[in-house]
Amino acid sequence: MTTARKTKTLINCSSTDPNKILPMKYQWAREHYKTGVANNWTPEEVNMQKDVEMWRSPDALTNEEKRLVLWNMGFFSTAESLTANNIVLAIYRHITNPECRQYLLRQGYEEAIHTDTFIYCCDTLGLDPDEVYNMYLDIPSIRKKDEFVIDITKSILDPEFTTQGTENVRRFVHDLVGYYLIMEGIFFYAGFVMMLSFLRQNKMVGVGEQFQFILRDESVHLAFGTDLINTIVQENIDIWNEPFKKDITDNIKTAVQLEYEYARDCLPKGVLGLNAEVIKEYIQYIADRRLEKIGLPKVYESKNPFPWMSEVIDLRKEKNFFETRVTEYRSGGTLSWDD
Ligand code: FE
Ligand code: MN
């Protein structure tokens, strides 16, 4: 009897058993998994006492600064759940490779941690949950981002969808770009800059630290998503034609515009040396990096107006990100940041 050696592929791999994780083909999936484990954290490890005092004090924060915090709570509180649901309900069943599934389970867990972070922030700061958790509906600039992601990822949420055939593989990669590069790689970044600016100025330091942890996780999600997309393209090179590349680039350009509108809405007047125009430059810089990582030409050629984003992050890494925390995760120093 001949047993032909089956080749593992990322999708459409009914010929191999999804429960046989060894031997592994995609080492990058394993590496991202281990990085995720090394970065373990929970929101309760961050002390929120100073934030509570600042939030309640009548004059510690201006109304504009409070608006900025609230808008980011409104966006992230529901966006994290949306991402978790996408992984479980849409992406997981189509990725037939076991080492990637292992990573997706890890990512799903991290999204649960992020969802928990916003529960913790609402509870400690005493925010009105009805207000915060309805902002994705009530605030147009938040709603437009979520609607855009839902719109460009609707193919794979369809229970009838399969990844059989070139056109469907193309749809799948198109939607993965929506989840990973646009939602996690662009729509989170204006918020990251704003909240880390607060941290730099010693304002809302607990929330700022939570955002730092989330940023570190998201940079791994993004790296996994980029590897996933690039490998599916390599294995299905027929999908990678000019109209498709243009379609992806156009979606990223729309996302940059929506993220700019969001920043303008968060910062109608500008605070903390921040304004929507500078954030726009940053988002354009980030978008160029996302395009380059999947082999597409840059669109904006913008410079990074916040070199401190990576400086702060690198400094933290050298000092050991975890040294001020109660719980020690020994392997926590082994992380590689992207932006
Ligand atoms: Fe997340
Ligand atoms: Mn994520």
Side-chain angles (χ1 to χ4, degrees):
M1 192 180 98
T2 52
T3 44
R5 197 181 175 97
K6 308 291 189 190
T7 310
K8 279 183 167 181
T9 55
L10 288 179
I11 54 173
N12 297 326
C13 198
S14 54
S15 62
T16 60
D17 184 344
N19 298 311
K20 277 169 82 172
I21 196 164
L22 292 178
M24 261 181 220
K25 178 174 179 182
Y26 303 102
Q27 281 305 321
W28 47 264
R30 182 66 177 164
E31 288 307 313
H32 295 315
Y33 178 84
K34 286 197 213 163
T35 307
V37 172
N39 290 349
N40 219 45
W41 67 286
T42 63
E44 285 81 3
E45 292 163 28
V46 177
N47 191 313
M48 295 287 286
Q49 193 50 44
K50 283 184 185 158
D51 298 56
V52 172
E53 285 163 18
M54 189 167 266
W55 191 257
R56 288 186 188 158
S57 151
D59 50 11
L61 294 171
T62 64
N63 286 340
E64 285 75 23
E65 288 169 339
K66 285 193 163 180
R67 176 187 175 103
L68 184 149
V69 173
L70 209 53
W71 257 235
N72 282 305
M73 291 290 154
F75 170 69
F76 279 89
S77 59
T78 39
E80 298 290 2
S81 301
L82 184 73
T83 308
N85 284 327
N86 290 338
I87 290 164
V88 175
L89 300 174
I91 301 176
Y92 192 89
R93 71 192 178 100
H94 298 297
I95 302 288
T96 41
N97 172 260
E99 52 269 33
C100 287
R101 282 191 164 179
Q102 176 83 338
Y103 181 78
L104 288 170
L105 292 173
R106 175 74 208 180
Q107 188 188 345
Y109 167 72
E110 289 171 12
E111 302 306 353
I113 294 291
H114 301 172
T115 299
D116 192 27
T117 303
F118 294 97
I119 296 174
Y120 181 60
C121 288
C122 274
D123 283 354
T124 52
L125 298 177
L127 304 178
D128 175 2
D130 278 334
E131 183 188 357
V132 172
Y133 284 82
N134 276 319
M135 286 176 81
Y136 82 106
L137 295 171
D138 297 340
I139 305 294
S141 67
I142 296 176
R143 185 176 179 150
K144 279 165 86 176
K145 284 169 50 164
D146 287 342
E147 280 177 348
F148 183 61
V149 168
I150 289 163
D151 184 52
I152 60 170
T153 57
K154 61 178 182 284
S155 324
I156 70 178
L157 255 182
D158 177 354
E160 304 291 308
F161 178 78
T162 78
T163 51
Q164 296 295 323
T166 305
E167 195 44 49
N168 284 335
V169 175
R170 195 176 279 135
R171 286 308 307 176
F172 187 59
V173 170
H174 169 277
D175 289 17
L176 286 179
V177 168
Y179 287 135
Y180 281 103
L181 268 51
I182 290 176
M183 184 59 150
E184 301 194 285
I186 293 176
F187 283 171
F188 282 13
Y189 277 74
F192 288 148
V193 168
M194 290 181 219
M195 298 316 299
L196 292 182
S197 294
F198 264 73
L199 181 63
R200 268 164 70 80
Q201 303 188 21
N202 256 329
K203 288 182 174 166
M204 303 304 281
V205 290
V207 176
E209 200 175 328
Q210 313 260 15
F211 269 79
Q212 245 178 348
F213 285 123
I214 292 176
L215 167 57
R216 190 183 53 174
D217 293 344
E218 295 303 339
S219 71
V220 186
H221 301 174
L222 183 60
F224 170 82
T226 305
D227 283 333
L228 189 67
I229 289 162
N230 286 337
T231 311
I232 296 174
V233 171
Q234 277 166 28
E235 291 177 353
N236 302 272
I237 199 67
D238 293 355
I239 68 169
W240 203 236
N241 58 16
E242 292 311 313
F244 185 46
K245 292 180 198 175
K246 183 179 183 304
D247 189 16
I248 288 176
T249 306
D250 287 346
N251 281 344
I252 288 180
K253 284 156 79 173
T254 303
V256 168
Q257 180 59 29
L258 290 175
E259 190 64 352
Y260 167 56
E261 287 170 23
Y262 171 75
R264 222 170 36 191
D265 194 31
C266 290
L267 282 159
K269 292 183 186 164
V271 292
L272 298 164
L274 279 179
N275 62 61
E277 300 310 313
V278 185
I279 292 178
K280 183 186 187 177
E281 246 179 272
Y282 181 67
I283 296 306
Q284 291 178 340
Y285 164 79
I286 291 288
D288 275 347
R289 303 259 334 243
R290 308 297 178 248
L291 286 162
E292 276 186 300
K293 287 266 170 75
I294 56 164
L296 295 178
K298 289 193 230 176
V299 171
Y300 302 101
E301 302 286 345
S302 294
K303 294 254 181 316
N304 181 3
F306 303 117
W308 57 261
M309 274 286 278
S310 30
E311 276 165 28
V312 167
I313 287 159
D314 289 343
L315 192 70
R316 282 250 155 178
K317 179 168 63 179
E318 281 154 25
K319 281 172 64 182
N320 183 5
F321 201 79
F322 294 90
E323 73 186 0
T324 57
R325 298 165 62 216
V326 181
T327 313
E328 282 219 25
Y329 296 101
R330 303 218 166 269
S331 43
T334 62
L335 40 101
S336 86
W337 287 92
D338 182 22
D339 297 313

